[in-house]
Amino acid sequence: MDPRYEMVIGLEVHAQVNVKSKLFSASPTDFGAEPNTQANEIDMGMPGVLPVLNRDVVDAAIKLGLGIKARINRTSVFSRKNYFYPDLPKGYQISQFDLPIVEHGTLTIDLDDGSSRDIGVTRIHIEEDAGKSVHDFGDEKHSHVDLNRAGVPLVEIVSEPDMRTAEEAGAYMKKMRAIVRFIDVCDGNMEQGSMRCDANVSVRLKGVETLGTRCEIKNLNSIRNVMRAIDFEANRQIAIIEHGGEVEQQTRLWDAAKSETRAMRSKEDAHDYRYFPDPDLLPLKLTEERIEAAKAAMPELPDEMKERFIKEYTLSAYDASVLTLSRAGAHYFEALVDGKRDAKKCVNWMTVELFGALNKEGLDIHDSPISPDHLGELVDLIEDATISGKIAKTVFEEMWTSGKAPKTIVEEKGLVQITDSSMLEGIVDKLIEGNPENSELFRSGNDRILGWFVGQVMKETQGKANPQMVNEILRGRLRP
Amino acid sequence: MSELVKLGLKEASEKIKNKEISSVELTSALLERIDARNENINAYVEVVHDKALEMAEASDKRIKDGNARLMEGVPLGIKDLFCTAGVPTTACSNILKGFTPAYESTVTKNLWKTGAVMLGKTNLDQFAMGSSNETSAFGTVKNPWDEERTPGGSSGGSAAAVADYMCLGATGTDTGGSIRQPAAFSGIVGLKPTYGRCSRWGIVAFASSLDQAGPMARSVEDAALMFRGMSGYDPLDTTSADMPIESFDENLDDLSLKGLKIGLPKEYFVDGMDEDIKKVTYDAVARFKAEGAEIVEISLPHTKYAVPAYYIVAPAEAASNLARYDGMRYGQRVEGENLDDTYTKTRTAGFGDEVKRRIMIGNYTLSSGYYDAYYSKAQKVRALIADDFKKAFAKVDVILTPTAPTPAFKTGEKVSDPIQMYLNDIFTVATSLAGLPGISVPSGMVNGMPVGVQFIGKAFDEKHLLKVAFAHERMTGFKPLDVK
Amino acid sequence: MSIDLKTVEKLSKLSRLSFDDTEKQKIADELTKILDFVSQLQEVNTDGVEPMASTVGADVTPERDDETHMEHEREALLSNAPASEMGFYVVPRVVE
């Protein structure tokens, strides 16, 4: 990107609330059911039906508000947002407009260089999702509408335009996802659409105070796409400005396959949504007791946990933030250290080997075939020199596929490190005897040849020789 | 004509329970009456002969088995605004023709649970928008007292069916006067309960913050019994009130009028009001006074603003409530060239003029830039109107007013002037805006047409209100329509 | 406040209703009259008055437990559709 410019980014995140039933009806919210089998007369907007608010969604919004240190409004109001669309059965969406349930929060984002920044969260409100229009039935003139998703509860989290780089936007999404997962209000799965993101992007010359014209980018279904789309969009806008043009305020779609944003065919009516308080729903009022109870039930949040990890385990800020991206990951780590193991070693095994293997297979830490107990046992085996670090990697692979305990694998495969000095001395002596030229080279000062000797011992012992011992014995024999 | 059709609702209910008559006999007599009269009066838009007889048979069986319920075997007409499972529900609009709900409105469900029998669905002003039943897609309804005149609206079909002995009682809904005004025009009793008394679940919505179902019958006692059967808290309607159902139909005669404080709002008795209406109302006042009631002049200063506030709030809510009639999921669709064209053609063909007018007004007042000036302002005025009543009820037990500014007018007389039509609601809308109960009771005759008065009560004080109405009925000695 | 034809056109678009030219003029006249009539409200002093949001019965929305329940088969509801196919509602093509 042209270094004279800076981006101004605000994000709107829609998170599907983890509940069994819809926001205003008792239909189930399960993913992937047959079309229109999870929609009742309320979700279908039939005549005479009325909404009844799902208590657990309200509680989830309160928790999320507490999670971003926001103000929880004691009174909030559901309004109707009126527009016609086939996937919007009532001709209006029930949402919160003037008075949302949560306002003025802060999200602390963690950047790759270990630094942190606070991003403002303007508001969080509760609203219902729309249905789904399917266009790929090979019918040019018609679409097919499935209302299973209609009425699924969402919280919309609107940030301030506080982000300045795509990296910050990515970090915001990661942290937001961590928080919704920590407090269990949403599974944070962007691919399945349970967490969605729209980005508002504008650019301006650095030092300029006023905001440029922004475009809203929709259809961002992964954190990577959020970042890619923002970069593309910023460059697109800069190119327009540099060519003497003006950025047009638009809603644009991200096309991941083509790596570009394109303008949506704009809905006319210029968005006159005619919001007004839904007369079917009285104001939502929260008691102090309810908010206090939610506070008391709050789990430790990522930022708190990160601080604790830095202090308690003397981890770097970076390691601590990686480990606290999910509650399951953090719990895994604590179970792994188990109050006794070296934290830094545990971090390495987790973030390098375990996360590497999980990522390769697209698995979540919940699905890890290796339990923290087993991984801890592996760390112990290295620590007490039963096996070498190198052998440990082989054992890890075996643990991953078989799910067996490392001790069992080491025993079954005879991988115990050879620490019997007389045995190792025998092997070394034989080597020196069989390779007089190389022995002479070492004696005359060529240190590099030592590595060759170590390699030969390892080969002879199938990698089981204790490398330190081999080194010591070699040095003692060759340069007494 | 079988004389059975003239039985009162409570009276019939007792005769059925005592096995003096069977529900099947009564139901058959009413179906015969409907078959003979409906073609002319047009009170019903759907008659469910088979279903009615099935329900009547089931009731007779329960009577035989000794399991009689509150209104066992009593045949009723249901305004076609109530969703009835398996029975077409149209709101008397073309846009809903062909719609058969899978679900039942709570009010009708409650009635069936008390053993009542459904005769059919009654005519109404399309989507309950109208005061003369002239906006119905099924044609106008004739007033049985004078067939050239309207029975009022929007519950005109229910009113005419009750007055003309085509049922013992009928459900109505009232948003700005739609139960009370047709009751007055048709010489029957109509109660609009406190907002929240009857569940709105399954009633095709007109204006959600005002809509309220209520009973229409030929006597106060009958209306009270029916009200008992249809009301009650409903978890499906979060605006319904969690109040116990009372035995509204019992001990109606135990009210002493001595010292009863009746308020007469001076704003309701103004120069230029219809002299006959004024006289009928003052006659009622005189009768109460004669029995020891205390008449208190009160002021409801924001009365004048009730109709304007109503005609902002109701169309705004209606414009949004009627957005769902888009031809996508139910009802009629008129195919167009594309999606928007289909929406537009469907709605243009499906809605009547008055409905379109109100949708347009509603979308205007909700539009960006006008919300504060209209909708929000009207809701504030509404708060002031509610406050007027609150202050008045600190001084009086009940308020007495005319129900409608004139007796039933001729069909076609006002249809061309919307504001003239809206002013029909002048005595009823304030009560609706405040959410208070109001009951219209026949109070006399003017030039051969019945005239009603309205009693307005405190919130949830229907029991008392019904007792006052009952006393009024006793003193008035009003004679229902005489038919041979 | 006088409603012109342009406003009628905007409103009719917003309402998904169409009117021919004669009707448009008639509606413009009627809306003007009606809005004149309701404009009386502007003379009421509503300073410090909260818009009525509650009913006489309650001022807080009740909430329900998060429980699922399906009462009707899909066909019972879908059978009312002007067009349906394979469990979907069929509607005129939706463009993004």
Side-chain angles (χ1 to χ4, degrees):
Chain A
M1 193 177 102
D2 188 324
R4 293 170 303 154
Y5 283 85
E6 72 173 357
M7 307 181 195
V8 176
I9 307 160
L11 298 177
E12 290 172 16
V13 176
H14 286 91
Q16 177 179 334
V17 182
N18 262 340
V19 285
K20 296 197 283 288
S21 66
K22 292 193 176 170
L23 182 54
F24 295 115
S25 91
S27 308
T29 54
D30 303 331
F31 186 77
E34 286 292 302
N36 290 311
T37 53
Q38 301 202 345
N40 66 13
E41 59 270 35
I42 299 171
D43 314 312
M44 288 179 175
M46 290 196 153
V49 302
L50 297 168
V52 187
L53 182 60
N54 184 334
R55 178 182 298 113
D56 287 10
V57 178
V58 176
D59 286 329
I62 296 171
K63 272 161 61 179
L64 188 51
L66 294 172
I68 57 160
K69 303 181 275 288
R71 186 175 87 200
I72 312 295
N73 285 330
R74 270 43 174 183
T75 299
S76 62
V77 171
F78 287 97
S79 291
R80 295 183 180 180
K81 178 181 181 180
N82 295 283
Y83 65 96
F84 285 93
Y85 218 62
D87 62 15
L88 189 72
K90 298 185 295 294
Y92 57 85
Q93 179 195 31
I94 306 178
S95 181
Q96 295 190 305
F97 182 56
D98 285 337
L99 266 178
I101 184 165
V102 172
E103 284 181 288
H104 311 306
T106 306
L107 190 76
T108 306
I109 60 171
D110 303 313
L111 300 169
D112 282 347
D113 63 6
S115 67
S116 292
R117 264 199 72 197
D118 282 352
I119 305 296
V121 176
T122 319
R123 56 187 274 152
I124 299 176
H125 64 255
I126 299 171
E127 65 182 26
E128 55 179 349
D129 205 349
K132 195 173 70 178
S133 301
V134 186
H135 314 296
D136 44 9
F137 275 72
D139 181 344
E140 291 284 305
K141 292 204 133 129
H142 296 97
S143 295
H144 288 66
V145 175
D146 172 12
L147 297 177
N148 283 349
R149 224 175 59 194
V152 162
L154 304 175
V155 282
E156 181 174 339
I157 309 152
V158 183
S159 86
E160 292 288 316
D162 284 352
M163 287 159 275
R164 294 291 172 268
T165 64
E167 190 210 344
E168 288 183 354
Y172 177 92
M173 290 302 295
K174 275 181 206 155
K175 181 52 85 54
M176 192 56 81
R177 189 172 63 183
I179 288 183
V180 298
R181 285 177 172 170
F182 260 69
I183 57 181
D184 199 25
V185 299
C186 171
D187 67 21
N189 187 328
M190 291 189 75
E191 286 72 21
Q192 273 188 12
S194 41
M195 191 162 147
R196 306 195 285 269
C197 176
D198 302 336
N200 286 302
V201 180
S202 65
V203 296
R204 63 184 173 194
L205 282 167
K206 281 180 187 160
V208 172
E209 284 286 312
T210 52
L211 292 171
T213 305
R214 67 188 163 88
C215 288
E216 183 180 4
I217 316 168
K218 292 193 172 288
N219 200 27
L220 303 171
N221 62 357
S222 71
I223 293 177
R224 192 165 151 259
N225 278 329
V226 171
M227 296 167 68
R228 286 171 66 202
I230 288 170
D231 273 330
F232 175 89
E233 180 59 21
N235 283 319
R236 187 188 72 85
Q237 292 180 13
I238 291 167
I240 291 173
I241 296 166
E242 286 295 305
H243 285 86
E246 267 183 36
V247 176
E248 204 186 321
Q249 184 161 350
Q250 277 175 336
T251 303
R252 301 177 68 85
L253 269 187
W254 169 246
D255 185 333
K258 292 185 183 155
S259 295
E260 62 179 31
T261 64
R262 59 180 155 82
M264 282 175 83
R265 278 196 238 178
S266 60
K267 286 187 209 166
E268 14 72 79
D269 310 339
H271 302 296
D272 189 347
Y273 290 129
R274 291 152 285 146
Y275 283 99
F276 74 109
D278 191 335
D280 287 329
L281 290 158
L282 296 167
L284 170 63
K285 293 193 181 173
L286 304 176
T287 60
E288 296 306 317
E289 296 79 59
R290 186 170 183 182
I291 293 166
E292 286 309 314
K295 269 185 198 159
M298 283 297 279
E300 191 180 17
L301 290 169
D303 289 338
E304 296 157 14
M305 210 174 237
K306 181 184 154 192
E307 284 310 308
R308 181 165 65 79
F309 280 14
I310 292 171
K311 273 196 205 125
E312 204 172 314
Y313 301 107
T314 48
L315 297 184
S316 70
Y318 178 79
D319 283 343
S321 68
V322 168
L323 290 173
T324 50
L325 279 177
S326 76
R327 187 153 62 158
H331 284 173
Y332 193 104
F333 171 72
E334 296 211 274
L336 176 58
V337 174
D338 199 18
K340 60 193 181 203
R341 297 191 179 102
D342 182 275
K344 186 63 199 165
K345 289 201 170 90
C346 290
V347 171
N348 287 342
W349 273 95
M350 249 186 95
T351 56
V352 182
E353 300 301 326
L354 185 67
F355 284 174
L358 289 168
N359 280 345
K360 215 166 105 191
E361 308 234 344
L363 293 178
D364 210 62
I365 194 136
H366 294 286
D367 314 316
S368 169
I370 299 177
S371 69
D373 282 352
H374 282 179
L375 191 59
E377 206 177 289
L378 184 68
V379 172
D380 293 343
L381 290 174
I382 307 163
E383 201 63 8
D384 66 14
T386 309
I387 55 172
S388 66
K390 200 171 167 210
I391 289 286
K393 288 187 183 168
T394 318
V395 175
F396 180 89
E397 278 165 28
E398 182 68 21
M399 288 161 71
W400 181 267
T401 48
S402 70
K404 285 181 185 166
K407 267 186 192 150
T408 317
I409 294 168
V410 166
E411 275 162 26
E412 279 177 6
K413 304 238 158 167
L415 297 175
V416 176
Q417 193 160 243
I418 299 167
T419 47
D420 177 343
S421 55
S422 60
M423 185 179 168
L424 292 174
E425 278 163 6
I427 297 169
V428 166
D429 287 343
K430 235 175 166 177
L431 259 175
I432 292 171
E433 209 172 314
N435 296 282
E437 305 87 0
N438 284 344
S439 306
E440 197 47 48
L441 275 173
F442 185 77
R443 283 193 193 98
S444 63
N446 186 341
D447 275 357
R448 276 193 354 217
I449 207 75
L450 186 71
W452 180 84
F453 278 104
V454 174
Q456 292 301 305
V457 177
M458 285 299 174
K459 205 170 159 190
E460 192 78 8
T461 58
Q462 282 124 39
K464 287 185 282 184
N466 180 318
Q468 276 94 33
M469 286 176 73
V470 173
N471 258 302
E472 277 165 30
I473 294 167
L474 274 167
R475 283 180 193 278
R477 285 288 195 275
L478 292 170
R479 287 184 191 161
Chain B
M1 185 190 79
S2 162
E3 284 300 307
L4 288 179
V5 300
K6 288 190 175 173
L7 289 173
L9 194 154
K10 182 149 184 177
E11 189 185 5
S13 163
E14 275 156 12
K15 283 187 191 299
I16 293 168
K17 267 178 213 154
N18 300 334
K19 300 183 194 158
E20 288 171 51
I21 58 168
S22 74
S23 175
V24 169
E25 274 176 84
L26 178 60
T27 303
S28 304
L30 285 159
L31 288 169
E32 263 173 47
R33 173 81 184 160
I34 294 168
D35 292 343
R37 294 285 295 166
N38 195 51
E39 204 179 329
N40 182 34
I41 300 290
N42 202 26
Y44 284 89
V45 294
E46 176 97 23
V47 183
V48 291
H49 291 87
D50 295 346
K51 189 179 175 77
L53 289 168
E54 268 171 44
M55 290 174 90
E57 275 166 30
S59 279
D60 285 336
K61 188 169 182 304
R62 287 188 77 108
I63 300 277
K64 210 176 125 205
D65 296 345
N67 294 325
R69 295 161 295 181
L70 186 69
M71 280 197 280
E72 199 66 64
V74 173
L76 302 175
I78 302 299
K79 187 179 185 180
D80 200 21
L81 203 62
F82 292 79
C83 288
T84 40
V87 176
T89 300
T90 67
C92 287
S93 176
N94 282 324
I95 209 157
L96 265 178
K97 277 192 180 161
F99 173 65
T100 304
Y103 49 95
E104 186 80 27
S105 83
T106 298
V107 161
T108 48
K109 194 184 265 183
N110 288 347
L111 287 169
W112 314 143
K113 275 193 207 150
T114 67
V117 168
M118 170 158 56
L119 292 166
K121 307 293 288 284
T122 60
N123 208 335
L124 64 139
D125 278 298
Q126 189 166 146
F127 282 103
M129 298 179 192
S131 305
S132 61
N133 222 105
E134 289 168 281
T135 72
S136 167
F138 291 90
T140 56
V141 179
K142 289 178 180 169
N143 191 321
W145 294 81
D146 175 352
E147 294 182 8
E148 283 187 8
R149 291 176 192 273
T150 163
S154 67
S155 310
S158 287
V162 171
D164 203 39
Y165 305 100
M166 288 191 264
C167 57
L168 303 192
T171 60
T173 63
D174 190 316
T175 305
S178 279
I179 287 175
R180 292 161 285 166
Q181 182 255 26
F185 279 16
S186 306
I188 62 166
V189 175
L191 168 67
K192 184 210 86 90
T194 312
Y195 183 85
R197 266 291 190 191
C198 291
S199 167
R200 293 184 297 116
W201 170 262
I203 300 173
V204 176
F206 161 15
S208 312
S209 72
L210 296 158
D211 294 346
Q212 185 56 208
M216 303 175 82
R218 288 189 294 271
S219 73
V220 172
E221 186 181 46
D222 291 355
L225 176 61
M226 200 175 150
F227 177 48
R228 181 176 168 184
M230 66 198 280
S231 58
Y233 174 67
D234 179 10
L236 295 177
D237 174 5
T238 57
T239 61
S240 85
D242 197 355
M243 304 287 277
I245 303 172
E246 297 166 54
S247 314
F248 297 110
D249 55 314
E250 288 169 13
N251 310 319
L252 285 170
D253 57 355
D254 72 357
L255 178 75
S256 162
L257 299 185
K258 278 212 174 58
L260 178 77
K261 289 196 182 104
I262 299 179
L264 293 186
K266 62 177 186 195
E267 292 81 4
Y268 283 59
F269 298 89
V270 291
D271 290 346
M273 81 181 288
D274 185 297
E275 283 303 321
D276 294 324
I277 296 288
K278 194 170 168 183
K279 182 175 182 305
V280 168
T281 312
Y282 280 130
D283 285 349
V285 171
R287 287 191 288 269
F288 274 99
K289 214 169 172 179
E291 293 211 12
E294 191 184 321
I295 308 299
V296 183
E297 190 191 81
I298 55 165
S299 173
L300 300 168
H302 295 91
T303 297
K304 147 175 198 207
Y305 303 108
V307 176
Y310 175 84
Y311 277 95
I312 289 169
V313 174
E317 293 181 8
S320 176
N321 282 334
L322 269 59
R324 69 189 61 196
Y325 305 104
D326 60 3
M328 296 295 129
R329 296 164 313 285
Y330 45 80
Q332 296 297 303
R333 176 191 294 179
V334 181
E335 295 287 349
E337 284 172 18
N338 53 44
L339 177 64
D340 262 329
D341 195 35
T342 301
Y343 279 145
T344 305
K345 285 199 161 84
T346 297
R347 290 165 59 82
T348 301
F351 291 136
D353 289 347
E354 182 59 29
V355 174
K356 289 178 192 165
R357 188 180 291 134
R358 296 201 197 186
I359 290 174
M360 295 281 281
I361 300 171
N363 278 331
Y364 180 83
T365 58
L366 287 179
S367 275
S368 38
Y370 301 114
Y371 176 81
D372 285 333
Y374 290 104
Y375 190 78
S376 183
K377 180 83 180 179
Q379 289 287 58
K380 287 178 185 171
V381 172
R382 194 176 168 182
L384 294 174
I385 289 169
D387 200 46
D388 284 353
F389 279 105
K390 211 171 168 185
K391 285 177 185 150
F393 278 119
K395 294 183 202 145
V396 299
D397 302 311
V398 67
I399 294 170
L400 173 58
T401 76
T403 307
T406 63
F409 48 89
K410 285 191 174 152
T411 300
E413 198 179 311
K414 293 189 180 175
V415 77
S416 59
D417 186 348
I419 291 180
Q420 269 313 104
M421 196 63 102
Y422 297 171
L423 287 171
N424 251 295
D425 301 334
I426 197 153
F427 299 130
T428 46
V429 281
T431 328
S432 296
L433 290 167
L436 300 176
I439 187 168
S440 177
V441 197
S443 197
M445 300 291 291
V446 170
N447 300 327
M449 290 308 288
V451 169
V453 293
Q454 170 180 236
F455 296 95
I456 302 166
K458 297 173 189 167
F460 303 105
D461 197 23
E462 283 92 346
K463 178 101 200 213
H464 187 244
L465 186 66
L466 285 160
K467 286 182 180 181
V468 174
F470 186 81
H472 168 84
E473 185 178 62
R474 170 179 58 77
M475 295 184 290
T476 308
F478 179 82
K479 294 268 182 304
L481 183 66
D482 187 25
V483 294
K484 293 281 161 346
Chain C
M1 174 72 77
S2 169
I3 300 294
D4 56 16
L5 289 177
K6 218 177 124 207
T7 308
V8 170
E9 274 158 22
K10 192 191 136 220
L11 288 175
S12 59
K13 205 167 175 195
L14 214 50
S15 309
R16 297 298 188 280
L17 293 170
S18 74
F19 302 97
D20 65 28
D21 289 344
T22 331
E23 286 171 324
K24 273 182 205 163
Q25 191 53 57
K26 191 172 166 240
I27 290 194
D29 295 344
E30 281 172 356
L31 290 195
T32 302
K33 267 196 221 163
I34 293 166
L35 289 169
D36 272 347
F37 172 67
V38 301
S39 293
Q40 295 176 62
L41 290 190
Q42 304 312 328
E43 68 196 51
V44 185
N45 182 354
T46 51
D47 293 349
V49 178
E50 282 297 307
M52 187 149 153
S54 58
T55 68
V56 286
D59 64 348
V60 184
T61 198
E63 297 162 57
R64 49 166 250 279
D65 294 338
D66 180 33
E67 282 163 5
T68 62
H69 169 63
M70 284 301 280
E71 195 173 340
H72 306 290
E73 291 290 319
R74 174 173 72 187
E75 287 319 308
L77 299 168
L78 207 62
S79 60
N80 277 298
S84 66
E85 188 177 33
M86 291 175 290
F88 290 91
Y89 287 104
V90 180
V91 304
R93 184 92 179 164
V94 178
V95 286
E96 277 167 353

